[in-house]
Amino acid sequence: ALLVGATSAAPSISSCGNPADIFKHVSMAVSPDPVERGTPFTITVTGDLGTDLTSGTVSWDIDAKVLVFGHSVVDKASKQSSPFTLTPGARAGPSKLVVGPITLPGELPGSADISGKVIVADGTGAQVACVALEFHLVLGQATTAPLPEALGAPQGVTSCGKSGDHMQGVTFGTVGGGDHGLGTLDEDVSEMSFHAALTLHTGIFPVPISLSVPVSYSPGLQKGDVMAKVGPTQGASESDGVIPTVTVDITWTDANKQEIACISVGPSADSTIVV
């Protein structure tokens, strides 16, 4: 079996914060670490948030290299920042986020190497947290396949939700260079799952990929209006490689496996839709 990160002593995810951070007593871990191909892994983050977090800035200095079918599709160095606004926001107090267990799709041959730091600051500029990344992932067995000469990145997001979803009034759009999503939850949510059905267009034949990601978040999301806005992004980003076209439907479900919302991302998507 191919191992991921076998030559790296650094943890895949860790805190690079300081004692003055708003998010204190922080623990970040991936289990198992390093991640092994075909083995489910889980990301766990815990800590105490000193104040409610409703706005701020995310800054990142990241190097990312992704190979698919033996071809470089991402070779990018990015040092950028983006403001964000959240409603109702992250509540002060003990917090715990568990993502996984995640099993990476074996039908997608390739690898991903992501390293760098992500810093979150609040609306006053005070540092909330710092995350150090040293992810080295191997997907399926490496092979080669032809890639088209020109490929397009996904454009826009639309809703594929239904009338019985637990989130209604879903809106996506872009204003002033920033992206936003709106909706109204009719229930509190702390245990959830995200189910992604992707199609990767890397050559003559599209490659379907399925991925399910369970998530547990405490203190959870409260019912009522929900809004997230990010951007505009500032800073420098240099990229080589060919970006494949990806279309994806993501279904968000609650602990009872009832649908909360559904979004579609693809080249033909409109920039704004209301359901």
Side-chain angles (χ1 to χ4, degrees):
L2 293 175
L3 298 181
V4 181
T7 61
S8 175
S12 295
I13 183 172
S14 60
S15 173
C16 49
N18 59 65
D21 284 0
I22 296 173
F23 193 44
K24 299 183 181 299
H25 312 121
V26 180
S27 173
M28 302 180 182
V30 176
S31 180
D33 195 6
V35 178
E36 297 183 7
R37 179 168 61 89
T39 300
F41 67 94
T42 300
I43 302 170
T44 303
V45 178
T46 62
D48 295 312
L49 188 60
T51 61
D52 291 348
L53 182 63
T54 57
S55 65
T57 303
V58 178
S59 304
W60 60 93
D61 188 352
I62 297 290
D63 288 320
K65 299 180 185 295
V66 179
L67 296 176
V68 175
F69 291 108
H71 299 271
S72 175
V73 296
V74 176
D75 189 351
K76 184 173 185 178
S78 177
K79 189 173 184 179
Q80 297 177 293
S81 64
S82 178
F84 66 87
T85 303
L86 304 173
T87 301
R91 286 178 281 170
S95 300
K96 183 176 183 179
L97 176 67
V98 179
V99 180
I102 303 169
T103 301
L104 296 174
E107 63 267 31
L108 180 62
S111 63
D113 295 285
I114 303 169
S115 61
K117 293 183 179 180
V118 179
I119 296 175
V120 181
D122 69 5
T124 70
Q127 183 166 302
V128 177
C130 177
V131 182
L133 299 173
E134 280 292 343
F135 260 102
H136 303 283
L137 308 175
V138 174
L139 303 176
Q141 186 70 39
T143 61
T144 59
L147 287 174
E149 293 183 359
L151 294 167
Q155 302 172 1
V157 180
T158 60
S159 173
C160 47
K162 304 173 181 63
S163 60
D165 284 0
H166 286 288
M167 178 176 280
Q168 293 294 316
V170 177
T171 304
F172 300 103
T174 301
V175 178
D179 299 316
H180 70 263
L182 309 171
T184 302
L185 271 172
D186 66 3
E187 63 174 355
D188 295 338
V189 181
S190 59
E191 302 286 338
M192 64 201 86
S193 293
F194 295 89
H195 310 278
L198 301 91
T199 302
L200 180 66
H201 302 272
T202 61
I204 299 174
F205 301 105
V207 180
I209 302 168
S210 296
L211 182 66
S212 292
V213 180
V215 175
S216 172
Y217 171 57
S218 174
L221 303 174
Q222 293 177 296
K223 68 178 180 180
D225 292 338
V226 177
M227 185 274 289
K229 180 181 178 181
V230 294
T233 299
Q234 298 178 338
S237 178
E238 298 180 358
S239 180
D240 295 318
V242 180
I243 301 175
T245 299
V246 179
T247 56
V248 56
D249 287 347
I250 302 174
T251 305
W252 178 17
T253 60
D254 62 15
N256 296 318
K257 299 183 179 180
Q258 296 177 349
E259 186 168 304
I260 298 173
C262 176
I263 64 171
S264 294
V265 181
S268 61
D270 296 329
S271 60
T272 304
I273 189 167
V274 179
V275 175

